[in-house]
Amino acid sequence: MQYRNRNPIVIARLKGKPLLAGQLVAALALAGLVWRQAWPVRADGVGEMIWSILFGDAVASAAIVGAALALSTCRRLWRQRDTYIFHDGARLYRGSSLSWPLEAIRDVVIDRGALGLPTLRLVVDDDSEVTRALVPLPLLEGSVEAVRGGVLFAASGLRGVPVGVTVN
C-alpha cells in the first residue's frame, strides 16, 4: 500500500461499542448454532459432530457461515476503527481495502444503504452512476458534516478550486 510512505490524515473514526456488541452477538450466535448442530450426535464421536456441523441441517450450516462472516467483519472493523477514513494527499482510503484518487471525488452524500441504514456515500467521477459507501451513520464517530467537509476539503485541495467547506 502506497500510503505507508506518507503521513495519513484521519478524517473519520468508527464507534467502538457497536462493533464490540456485534462481535459478542455474532460469537454467541456462532457458538449456539455449532452447539445445536453438534449436541445430538455427541455420543457418536468427534468425526460425527464435525460431519453434523458441516453437512447436517443446510439452514443451520448457512447460519453458521453467516455468523462467522459477521464475526470476522465486526473484528476487522474493530481493528480499523481509529483510522477508518483517511487520505494521504493523493488517495482517499476506506479501511485498508478500498481507495479512490482524490481528484476523482465530486461529492459526499447521505443515502440509504443495502440494509436500509443511512450511509455516507461517495460520488466519484468515473463514468458510472453508482455511489460508493463510505460508512454507515450509526457506526460513525463524530458529526456527518465534519466528515463530509474533511473529504471535500481534501478533494478540493488537489483541484486548486476553492470550495465552500466548513470544517469544525
Side-chain angles (χ1 to χ4, degrees), residues 9-12 87 143-157 163-168:
I9 298 170
V10 177
I11 297 173
H87 75 89
S143 71
V144 176
E145 293 82 18
V147 175
R148 183 178 186 274
V151 171
L152 291 177
F153 183 76
S156 69
V163 176
V165 176
T166 303
V167 178
N168 298 343

Side-chain angles (χ1 to χ4, degrees), residues 11-41:
I11 297 173
R13 292 178 170 84
L14 298 178
K15 291 179 184 176
K17 288 181 183 179
L19 297 174
L20 279 176
Q23 287 181 55
L24 180 64
V25 167
L28 288 174
L30 181 63
L33 288 165
V34 167
W35 182 264
R36 180 182 173 271
Q37 286 291 96
W39 184 256
V41 293

Side-chain angles (χ1 to χ4, degrees), residues 21-149:
Q23 287 181 55
L24 180 64
V25 167
L28 288 174
L30 181 63
L33 288 165
V34 167
W35 182 264
R36 180 182 173 271
Q37 286 291 96
W39 184 256
V41 293
R42 69 188 180 282
D44 296 338
V46 175
E48 283 298 318
M49 290 172 63
I50 292 173
W51 183 266
S52 176
I53 291 169
L54 295 177
F55 303 110
D57 184 14
V59 175
S61 296
I64 289 171
V65 170
L69 286 174
L71 179 62
S72 114
T73 299
C74 287
R75 184 182 155 116
R76 178 181 48 83
L77 290 175
W78 170 259
R79 289 192 335 249
Q80 298 174 355
R81 73 186 181 282
D82 288 333
T83 57
Y84 191 64
I85 298 175
F86 61 97
H87 75 89
D88 62 359
R91 297 186 72 81
L92 179 75
Y93 297 91
R94 185 190 83 182
S96 61
S97 58
L98 292 176
S99 69
W100 301 273
L102 284 174
E103 64 266 5
I105 296 172
R106 295 295 166 234
D107 198 6
V108 180
V109 297
I110 297 174
D111 196 13
R112 296 272 178 200
L115 299 175
L117 293 173
T119 305
L120 200 61
R121 300 183 71 83
L122 193 65
V123 178
V124 180
D125 187 24
D126 62 354
D127 295 333
S128 71
E129 297 181 11
V130 179
T131 58
R132 280 30 175 226
L134 279 178
V135 61
L137 295 186
L139 294 179
L140 182 64
E141 182 178 282
S143 71
V144 176
E145 293 82 18
V147 175
R148 183 178 186 274

